[in-house]
Amino acid sequence: MHLEFIDCFVLTRFAPSPTGQLHLGHVYAAKYACDVASKSGGRFLLRFEDIDTTRVREEYYEEIEQDLHWLGIESTGSPLRQSDRLSAYSDALDKLKVMNAVYPCFCTRKEIQQEINSLTNAPHGKESLLYPGICRNLSLAEKAIRLDAGDPHCWRLNSVAIRPIAERLFFTDQLHGKVVVDPDLLGDVVLARKDITTSYHLAVVVDDAYQEITDVTRGEDLLPSTHIHRILQNLLNLPEPRYHHHRLILDTNGKRLAKRDDALSIKNLREQGKSPDEVLAMLA
Ligand code: GLU
C-alpha cells in the first residue's frame, strides 16, 4: 500500500534533537526534506528526537520551531516527540526479543575496552572498532539469572543470528544508487540503551513507519545506519521508504558542523542582522 502511494503522495520529515540550537547544517537538512516534499505536492513533518533526556533542554523545542518558521520552512501539524512514543519502541523491542534478533548485554565500557585490547584481531567496522560480541554467547540460564537480578543491560542486535536475512537485503538511495546491506558495518549495534530502553536506530525505524514517511532525507553521515534500519524494517515487517542521503554542510576546516559551532547557529546569524534569504543563500 505504501509504495503505491509514492508517485502521488510524498511525506518527508526533519528530525532534530532538541539538545542545542539549529545551525546551518540542520537548515540544509530541513530545507532538503521540505523541498523533496513540496516538489511533489507532498507534506513535510517535524519530529523531535528527544529520547536522550539527559541532553534535551526544554527551550530548544520552541527555538527550533521559531528558527524554521523565520526561515519560511513550514511543517504540517504538530511535531511528534519521540519521548511520547516509548511504549511503541518497547513493543518493537519485545518483537525482536521473541525472534532472538537481540540479546541483553551487561558489559561496561571498561570491560568492552579490556576485551578489545586482549584481542589480536578485534572486529572493525568502517570507521571504528565494533562490540566484540562478549554477551552474544551467554547461555540462556546465565542471561535469565542476570536479567532476574536486575543487572543493568542494554539490548544489542545479534548480527550473527540475523545474517541470513540481512544478506539478502538492499536499499536504493536516490543519490547513491543501490546499496547492498552489510550486517558487519555496525556489528552488534545497541538497539535499546541501558538508560532509555530504545536507541536512535529503533526509534527512527518505528516512527518512520508510524508517520508513513515515504522519503527519508538525511545527511550522508547516516548512510551506515540505513543498513541497520533496513534490517529492522524487514524483521518488524515495516515498509521501506525511499532514501536520500544528502551532502553535509562543512565548516571551514572541512569538518561536519556541530551544535557547539555557535557562530553558525541560526540564532546568532539572525542576531547579526542577517535576513532569512541571506541565511538560506549561505547553504549554497
Ligand atoms: N537526528 C538526526 C540528525 O539530526 C536525524 C536522523 C534521521 O533523520 O534519521 O542528524
Side-chain angles (χ1 to χ4, degrees):
M1 177 177 141
H2 184 79
L3 288 176
E4 286 152 21
F5 262 78
I6 274 180
D7 286 339
C8 54
F9 189 66
V10 168
L11 202 51
T12 64
R13 86 298 192 276
F14 169 55
S17 299
T19 53
Q21 278 160 11
L22 278 198
H23 56 58
L24 275 185
H26 295 114
V27 173
Y28 185 83
K31 180 106 180 60
Y32 197 99
C34 187
D35 288 351
V36 166
S38 61
K39 262 186 233 150
S40 327
R43 286 188 288 140
F44 158 71
L45 308 179
L46 178 61
R47 175 196 305 159
F48 284 115
E49 290 195 346
D50 60 348
I51 46 179
D52 189 351
T53 46
T54 54
R55 293 172 55 230
V56 164
R57 292 232 315 261
E58 196 52 43
E59 64 266 31
Y60 290 132
Y61 292 94
E62 215 178 295
E63 282 185 25
I64 289 173
E65 286 195 75
Q66 280 168 359
D67 283 347
L68 291 175
H69 178 69
W70 181 72
L71 289 162
I73 304 174
E74 301 291 358
S75 54
T76 303
S78 35
L80 184 84
R81 290 188 178 201
Q82 289 193 324
S83 56
D84 290 335
R85 304 249 316 127
L86 298 183
S87 65
Y89 311 141
S90 83
D91 288 350
L93 184 65
D94 285 345
K95 287 186 190 147
L96 298 172
K97 287 180 195 171
V98 171
M99 289 175 221
N100 283 325
V102 289
Y103 62 85
C105 170
F106 303 92
C107 293
T108 60
R109 271 169 208 252
K110 199 169 158 205
E111 283 163 345
I112 297 174
Q113 198 51 55
Q114 278 167 352
E115 174 74 7
I116 289 175
N117 294 345
S118 74
L119 296 170
T120 40
N121 216 349
H124 216 285
K126 224 176 183 166
E127 275 158 21
S128 55
L129 287 165
L130 300 178
Y131 175 70
I134 308 165
C135 288
R136 193 195 302 129
N137 298 322
L138 288 181
S139 70
L140 277 178
E142 241 170 317
K143 270 188 246 177
I145 290 169
R146 299 193 66 173
L147 288 174
D148 279 353
D151 282 2
H153 59 279
C154 66
W155 289 86
R156 290 182 180 275
L157 180 70
N158 188 335
S159 65
V160 174
I162 54 88
R163 181 175 308 272
I165 295 171
E167 282 179 345
R168 294 200 309 264
L169 298 174
F170 65 90
F171 56 93
T172 306
D173 186 278
Q174 303 302 304
L175 296 114
H176 297 257
K178 181 175 169 177
V179 183
V180 175
V181 166
D182 178 359
D184 293 328
L185 208 54
L186 297 182
D188 290 4
V189 71
V190 172
L191 295 185
R193 285 170 34 169
K194 277 183 190 166
D195 53 342
I196 51 176
T197 67
T198 184
S199 68
Y200 159 66
H201 300 296
L202 189 59
V204 79
V205 163
V206 170
D207 285 344
D208 284 336
Y210 173 70
Q211 293 191 292
E212 299 187 23
I213 300 300
T214 61
D215 290 67
V216 168
T217 67
R218 59 185 173 211
E220 58 194 5
D221 56 328
L222 287 168
L223 203 44
S225 298
T226 305
H227 292 243
I228 300 300
H229 300 178
R230 276 299 297 127
I231 295 170
L232 293 177
Q233 284 154 2
N234 186 276
L235 293 171
L236 295 168
N237 204 15
L238 300 174
E240 175 193 355
R242 289 197 291 201
Y243 286 99
H244 311 237
H245 290 90
H246 56 68
R247 69 179 179 92
L248 298 171
I249 298 275
L250 304 175
D251 67 13
T252 43
N253 300 319
K255 286 223 180 73
R256 189 192 163 173
L257 290 184
K259 296 227 162 91
R260 58 183 175 278
D261 299 327
D262 272 355
L264 291 178
S265 79
I266 305 312
K267 190 176 176 198
N268 233 309
L269 294 170
R270 190 169 52 210
E271 281 169 7
Q272 282 167 27
K274 293 239 184 302
S275 71
D277 281 346
E278 283 170 325
V279 172
L280 292 175
M282 289 172 78
L283 300 177

